[in-house]
Amino acid sequence: MADEEARPHPHIYLQGMGARQGYTAYQAGGDGGSGPPQRDRAAHANALTQALTQVVQQGETILANRDADVAAGEKGFYVEFTLPVGQADIVDKLENRRGRFPIELVNVHPAEEGLVSATVFVPEKQKDYYLKKIAAYRDGDTVRQKTLDDGSVEEIRKPKNQRLVASIETARLAVARSFYTDQADLFPAPGVEAWWEVWVRKGTKGSFDKAAHALGMATREHSLEFAERDVVVAKGTPEQLGRVIANTDSVAELRLARDTPSLYMGMDGAEQRTWSADLADRLVPLDGDVPAVCLLDSGTTIGHPLIAPYLLPADQQAFDAAWNVEDVSAQGHGGHGTQMSGTLLYGDLMEVLDGAGPVIVRHRLESVKILPDHGANDPDLYGAITAQAIARAEIAAPNRPRAICLAVTSLGDHGRGRPSAWSAKLDAITFGRDEVQRFIAVAAGNIREAIVAADYPARNDTMPIESPAQAWNALTVGAYTERTLISDPTYAGWNALGAAGDIMPRSRTSVSWIREWPLKPDVVFEGGNIGHDPATGQGDHVDDLALLTTYRTMAERPFTTTGDTSAATALAARMAAQIMAEKPALWPETVRGLIVHSAEWTPAMRAHQGVIGKPALVRRYGFGVPSLVRALGSLDHDVAIVNEDEIVPFKMKAGTAVTDELAVHQLPWPRVALLALDPATLVQLRVTLSYFIEPNPGERGLSRRHVYASHGLRFDLKHADDSLDTFLRRRTSEAGARPPRRAAADTGWAVGPQLRHRGSLHADIWEGTATELAARDAIIVYPTGGWWRENVAQGHVGEAVRYSLIASIRAAPGTEMYTEVTAQVAPKVAIGI
């Protein structure tokens, strides 16, 4: 009963006019919503009657063909309804709890943009329940009388069951995916086995166990019991779960279990080595030149069978040639590098250990040890150590694309966002005065003190990001969590402290920074969670809430757990390497931009905005959780343009440095598709501008020529009521750092220009009508001031700088835009001011 997952389009690269001119057309998933449409009563009732009649017929066929060896529990079938997001609060009306054969709502989750899916279990005795509701809606009215001011009586009539029936878009027989409430792009393909969290209806676990056993599905010994649900862990294909659903009344919800780390951590070393050997046998050798992740940490264990295939001896180095390159330190950081190595290569090992097929890793590992085995480096030298460590890797393989991963931070506040010597060095390394630009992912830092449940998440906002994560050009990575299930009986009675989709309890933020400094972190990745003991109020590490990874001493055991912002940063660097493996020619600025552009705030994050405000939302969560599928894939209803280009920000005029160029990007929006939509249909436009600045650190007062950044870039979107000529004349007439004057405020932005224009990465989301967006078909990128312009003696006026501009549309499903965009590509125009 598993339906097939939509496959994304690959990138389509189209060449533009200039040497560096190029657009990438791609698309990604998104969400949206609208209120319930106005219904033609009879037509809507007839359409729903037709759909539900088919559902009942299919349900009767399933019941007639139940497998006696599998079947258990009450006879019935599941129906999946779709409703507009704005009407999601009426899903409870789908239930009918009265009588001997109650209809139960089993799960609700987002469906396509603007819709939610609600699945109900319908007992055989109640199979005609919804058909009767619809017939009453079509044929009957409720009548009430209202006495008017003049004493007369007015009769008010409305259809029976109107609120329920008018809100239903359609209905179908539920399939396995109807019960799936986890990350959509991870749903296993047909025939692929996976470990599932199966949430079963109370009192039906026995039915599930019987069916699973009959179908040969493996199940875990432990289960969890809640008021209305039991949770079991089982291994099977979507088709097997479909047979369970067809033959029992048990399943309420499906999530990917991916096992739990405590399962492996409970094994002895020999058992762990068996699992490790099985995975090592399934690893596919690297094919030719591939990108690398360069890890700057405590070294790594090259002899580990899960690391050795991807780490050449020449790529295992140390900052100090006298140091042991292995991860052998007995100090607090010992083992950290090997833990990071496993995450950089595989993500969470749980996701690959339980499989049976080949495992393909498309990037290799480089390890440069920057932490000594004894004592400590001088903190003042970490900038130099970082630069020299990166140089060692580049000398060994100068032409290899690489993502640099740094999850080592320095204690202390460091001026609430003020650059440190270390962070400024990262900005210099990434900017690439040596003509090599670099991608660096750096951890935001962890709260090291004891975690108290009562302080979460407010304490995260008072613990500032650590050095060198205030670097403007680096991708600063915080941690969030989706891990809330504790199955280890050792921690019976414990809860997960962090809410699903919310900030990881140890992750630091920039909420307390001075407002002028960049918005950090840029994004958040999975960092595990903290267990909470209600008896003490204290939080602590629990293996079930962590990520499984590699351990440094293979003779002892091959696996351990990891988490916090270190694990999150490893996942970010891994994603960067995966993007580079797909398109190795992309600039580091673009790789950073794609990661941020693919990020979305979770519902749990958005729920805080009304309390903490928009600035704190971005400074706590960055721009949200990235998705490799959104960064590289595309769907017909979502299309984006990526441009890598250069601009000369400043020139000399009459002995003074002034603004030189701005860039105009005419966007090949799918006007036909957009204008064909209902005029009131809302669409989203995402814009991300990513570039690197050259730093000029130091506390030398507020003189403009002593600013930190070499230059700034900004973007501006053409108004719908502007012609392109008017748009350009307004911008060029000002020729300065001030934003363009407008007749009316440019509303509809999620972040807004007053907040987004901090640092060297600017991202925002505009929402408006499809008609308006069709006319907003141009973006300008223009320079603002910096020390290059203010300090002309340094001789940088006239230099060109690079940038990456990404713009994408999200529309309702069924809106095919991809083909129209690829048929037209607008050139970029550089204009002197």
Side-chain angles (χ1 to χ4, degrees):
M1 295 178 66
D3 50 350
E4 199 168 321
E5 183 177 2
R7 298 297 179 189
H9 292 296
H11 275 318
I12 297 177
Y13 278 77
L14 306 175
Q15 289 298 326
M17 296 178 63
R20 294 194 181 275
Q21 178 73 25
Y23 287 99
T24 305
Y26 77 100
Q27 305 165 335
D31 55 27
S34 61
Q38 296 296 318
R39 303 290 191 189
D40 180 291
R41 181 175 172 181
H44 185 56
N46 291 336
L48 288 182
T49 298
Q50 182 179 357
L52 277 165
T53 299
Q54 184 178 7
V55 168
V56 171
Q57 292 172 348
Q58 293 171 335
E60 290 173 332
T61 300
I62 287 174
L63 293 175
N65 293 281
R66 293 227 300 181
D67 185 338
D69 294 329
V70 180
E74 184 178 3
K75 295 182 70 174
F77 52 89
Y78 293 87
V79 181
E80 181 184 7
F81 294 93
T82 55
L83 303 91
V85 168
Q87 300 300 302
D89 60 339
I90 62 95
V91 292
D92 287 342
K93 293 184 177 295
L94 293 168
E95 287 191 318
N96 179 21
R97 295 271 189 167
R98 298 189 298 271
R100 292 178 53 201
F101 304 101
I103 295 176
E104 180 183 346
L105 176 68
V106 294
N107 71 71
V108 180
H109 59 87
E112 299 172 336
E113 283 86 344
L115 299 174
V116 294
S117 165
T119 302
V120 297
F121 177 75
V122 181
E124 185 180 32
K125 300 285 188 181
Q126 295 270 40
K127 63 183 181 182
D128 296 325
Y129 174 81
Y130 295 104
L131 288 171
K132 294 176 181 176
K133 286 279 187 182
I134 294 168
Y137 165 80
R138 181 190 59 214
D139 302 326
D141 290 332
T142 59
V143 181
R144 71 181 181 89
Q145 293 182 337
K146 179 181 179 182
T147 302
L148 303 179
D149 293 340
D150 61 2
S152 62
V153 177
E154 179 184 24
E155 188 174 81
I156 300 175
R157 309 175 69 91
K158 70 174 183 177
K160 291 183 177 180
N161 308 316
Q162 180 182 28
R163 185 153 186 242
L164 171 64
V165 179
S167 297
I168 297 173
E169 290 287 333
T170 189
R172 67 169 185 168
L173 190 72
V175 296
R177 192 184 286 268
S178 306
F179 299 80
Y180 182 71
T181 60
D182 208 337
Q183 188 173 334
D185 56 357
L186 295 182
F187 189 88
V192 175
E193 282 193 325
W195 282 101
W196 304 82
E197 282 180 17
V198 184
W199 294 60
V200 299
R201 300 168 64 211
K202 200 66 177 177
T204 66
K205 182 177 179 297
S207 299
F208 176 84
D209 289 342
K210 177 193 173 183
H213 177 75
L215 294 170
M217 297 173 63
T219 57
R220 294 298 186 206
E221 177 182 355
H222 301 292
S223 63
L224 297 177
E225 296 184 7
F226 299 104
E228 293 187 309
R229 297 286 184 263
D230 292 337
V231 183
V232 297
V233 177
K235 186 179 184 180
T237 64
E239 291 88 346
Q240 287 176 313
L241 285 168
R243 291 188 64 188
V244 174
I245 292 164
N247 285 278
T248 75
D249 61 343
S250 58
V251 179
E253 182 179 349
L254 296 173
R255 304 179 189 180
L256 285 181
R258 298 164 237 170
D259 268 318
T260 58
S262 64
L263 171 71
Y264 293 93
M265 295 306 293
M267 298 177 179
D268 60 27
E271 289 179 291
Q272 284 194 11
R273 283 189 287 274
T274 299
W275 283 90
S276 176
D278 174 76
L279 175 56
D281 288 341
R282 294 187 284 119
L283 298 178
V284 177
L286 289 174
D287 183 18
D289 295 331
V290 296
V293 176
C294 179
L295 174 63
L296 310 181
D297 213 281
S298 64
T300 194
T301 303
I302 196 172
H304 197 295
L306 301 181
I307 295 175
Y310 306 111
L311 177 59
L312 298 172
D315 293 330
Q316 187 185 26
Q317 304 185 72
F319 160 71
D320 189 325
W323 291 356
N324 186 338
V325 296
E326 289 283 302
D327 189 5
V328 296
S329 172
Q331 299 182 163
H333 54 253
H336 190 263
T338 306
Q339 294 171 24
M340 293 285 290
S341 298
T343 308
L344 287 166
L345 291 171
Y346 305 101
D348 187 356
L349 270 177
M350 301 291 300
E351 298 180 4
V352 293
L353 274 176
D354 284 325
V359 174
I360 299 174
V361 178
R362 297 182 61 194
H363 59 278
R364 67 174 64 253
L365 180 67
E366 299 171 341
S367 173
V368 185
K369 191 171 188 173
I370 64 171
L371 298 173
D373 295 331
H374 306 284
N377 294 316
D378 185 341
D380 292 339
L381 294 179
Y382 266 114
I385 291 171
T386 302
Q388 292 180 41
I390 294 170
R392 287 184 177 276
E394 292 176 341
I395 290 170
N399 298 318
R400 179 185 295 163
R402 59 177 48 82
I404 299 162
C405 179
L406 179 64
V408 179
T409 59
S410 177
L411 292 167
D413 187 334
H414 295 283
R416 296 171 61 196
R418 174 174 56 89
S420 65
W422 193 2
S423 73
K425 188 61 179 178
L426 292 192
D427 282 332
I429 292 168
T430 47
F431 176 77
R433 178 56 70 179
D434 57 359
E435 299 185 358
V436 179
Q437 289 75 27
R438 300 167 178 89
F439 174 92
I440 299 180
V442 58
N446 304 319
I447 300 173
R448 295 171 173 83
E449 296 79 11
I451 301 296
V452 179
D455 295 340
Y456 172 83
R459 191 178 185 204
N460 298 80
D461 294 344
T462 64
M463 302 299 284
I465 285 172
E466 294 182 321
S467 180
Q470 68 269 55
W472 289 38
N473 298 338
L475 182 79
T476 301
V477 185
Y480 91 115
T481 187
E482 292 286 359
R483 303 187 179 223
T484 59
L485 181 65
I486 301 176
S487 60
D488 189 343
T490 305
Y491 294 95
W494 284 51
N495 303 311
L497 177 54
D502 212 333
I503 191 168
M504 195 274 173
R506 294 195 188 278
S507 188
R508 291 174 174 265
T509 72
S510 69
V511 175
S512 64
W513 277 10
I514 297 171
R515 64 186 300 272
E516 286 76 13
W517 294 122
L519 304 173
K520 297 287 182 173
D522 297 297
V523 289
V524 291
F525 279 80
E526 178 67 65
N529 208 337
I530 295 293
H532 165 234
D533 181 3
T536 64
Q538 299 295 310
D540 203 354
H541 174 88
V542 175
D543 283 337
D544 277 328
L545 303 176
L547 290 75
L548 194 71
T549 189
T550 45
Y551 184 63
R552 67 170 177 171
T553 308
M554 185 69 185
E556 183 179 343
R557 64 181 192 272
F559 305 139
T560 189
T561 54
T562 187
D564 301 344
T565 58
S566 291
T569 305
L571 292 174
R574 177 174 180 258
M575 180 174 173
Q578 290 172 311
I579 293 173
M580 293 176 184
E582 186 74 20
K583 292 295 177 184
L586 289 179
W587 292 349
E589 298 96 322
T590 306
V591 174
R592 180 179 69 152
L594 283 173
I595 292 174
V596 172
H597 195 80
S598 75
E600 291 185 338
W601 294 303
T602 67
M605 296 172 187
R606 291 179 180 274
H608 290 294
Q609 181 172 345
V611 177
I612 65 176
K614 189 184 300 181
L617 179 76
V618 184
R619 289 193 177 276
R620 180 191 285 181
Y621 305 110
F623 291 94
V625 184
S627 163
L628 183 64
V629 171
R630 287 194 295 268
L632 290 178
S634 24
L635 301 173
D636 286 338
H637 58 276
D638 204 90
V639 61
I641 305 299
V642 176
N643 187 100
E644 295 178 331
D645 222 308
E646 293 185 344
I647 193 172
V648 178
F650 309 122
K651 65 181 179 182
M652 295 300 296
K653 183 177 181 180
T656 302
V658 297
T659 302
D660 187 3
E661 292 181 342
L662 60 77
V664 182
H665 299 270
Q666 291 180 256
L667 303 171
W669 288 152
R671 291 181 56 85
V672 173
L674 289 171
L675 295 176
L677 296 174
D678 186 298
T681 299
L682 295 179
V683 294
Q684 280 189 352
L685 168 68
R686 287 177 172 245
V687 182
T688 301
L689 175 63
S690 175
Y691 59 97
F692 293 160
I693 57 94
E694 184 173 24
N696 182 30
E699 290 291 339
R700 288 166 290 175
L702 299 178
S703 170
R704 292 179 63 193
R705 68 188 184 91
H706 291 145
V707 294
Y708 179 74
S710 54
H711 64 287
L713 297 180
R714 304 287 185 264
F715 70 80
D716 194 17
L717 178 67
K718 182 176 83 69
H719 263 206
D721 54 0
D722 273 348
S723 67
L724 181 60
D725 180 65
T726 301
F727 180 52
L728 295 178
R729 283 190 290 108
R730 179 179 292 130
R731 177 66 253 171
T732 55
S733 68
E734 295 176 9
R738 300 185 308 277
R741 292 188 302 272
R742 298 196 187 283
D746 190 5
T747 59
W749 293 98
V751 179
Q754 297 303 314
L755 180 59
R756 73 177 178 235
H757 288 154
R758 313 273 169 81
S760 64
L761 187 145
H762 314 303
D764 212 339
I765 305 168
W766 176 85
E767 185 173 80
T769 66
T771 302
E772 185 178 1
L773 180 59
R776 304 196 74 172
D777 57 356
I779 294 177
I780 58 172
V781 175
Y782 62 94
T784 62
W787 67 266
W788 280 7
R789 186 177 71 178
E790 304 301 331
N791 195 347
V792 296
Q794 294 295 324
H796 299 302
V797 173
E799 288 190 17
V801 296
R802 308 196 318 183
Y803 67 89
S804 176
L805 178 68
I806 308 168
S808 65
I809 301 175
R810 294 188 173 184
T815 309
E816 207 289 326
M817 300 187 292
Y818 188 79
T819 303
E820 186 180 344
V821 170
T822 57
Q824 52 161 343
V825 179
K828 187 273 297 183
V829 182
I831 296 180
I833 299 177

